[in-house]
Amino acid sequence: MNAPTDLLRDPRLYQLAAVGQAADAVACIGPIPYITRCLDSVEYPQTNRWIFPVVKGASAVGLASVTRSPALARLTAIMLTIYFTLAVGSHVRVRDFGLNATAATSFLLFYGALAATGPADR
């Protein structure tokens, strides 16, 4: 790796992020109690929570497509940047500045960096 952006452009990082998104999608199906508490804390309506496994599953597919469709993987990173911007905004709105807001902010920065650099050309 020659430049600092080489790691961010590495397709394996996109694939690793895809695994994380897929695991999160599965965790949202139930959802596990931790996720329920997080969504309750930001006052997200229970009737709309079905969307999270769908969105996270789709994002896993988009990120995993990095070797076949780098443009789709980058678009997915852009959309996840928007998603986490909204998530951080939800935490700020309810003045939740704890661990969940920190995690959302970290993911916002991560996906923002992926969106800004894009995957390496193969």
Side-chain angles (χ1 to χ4, degrees), residues 84 87-88 91-92 98-111:
F84 282 107
V88 169
H91 288 285
V92 170
L99 181 60
N100 294 331
T102 302
T105 302
S106 298
F107 283 120
L108 170 60
L109 294 172
F110 173 70
Y111 286 112

Side-chain angles (χ1 to χ4, degrees), residues 66-82:
V66 67
T67 55
R68 289 185 177 237
S69 181
L72 177 59
R74 189 173 195 177
L75 175 62
T76 303
I78 292 166
M79 298 309 293
L80 282 165
T81 302
I82 294 168

Side-chain angles (χ1 to χ4, degrees), residues 17-72:
V19 170
Q21 286 297 108
D24 200 12
V26 170
C28 287
I29 290 173
I32 63 171
Y34 176 80
I35 292 173
T36 300
R37 284 192 304 276
C38 180
L39 293 172
D40 287 345
S41 73
V42 296
E43 301 167 357
Y44 194 84
Q46 286 187 333
T47 56
N48 297 336
R49 294 181 186 184
W50 61 269
I51 194 73
F52 290 105
V54 175
V55 168
K56 291 171 185 273
S59 69
V61 171
L63 291 168
S65 75
V66 67
T67 55
R68 289 185 177 237
S69 181
L72 177 59

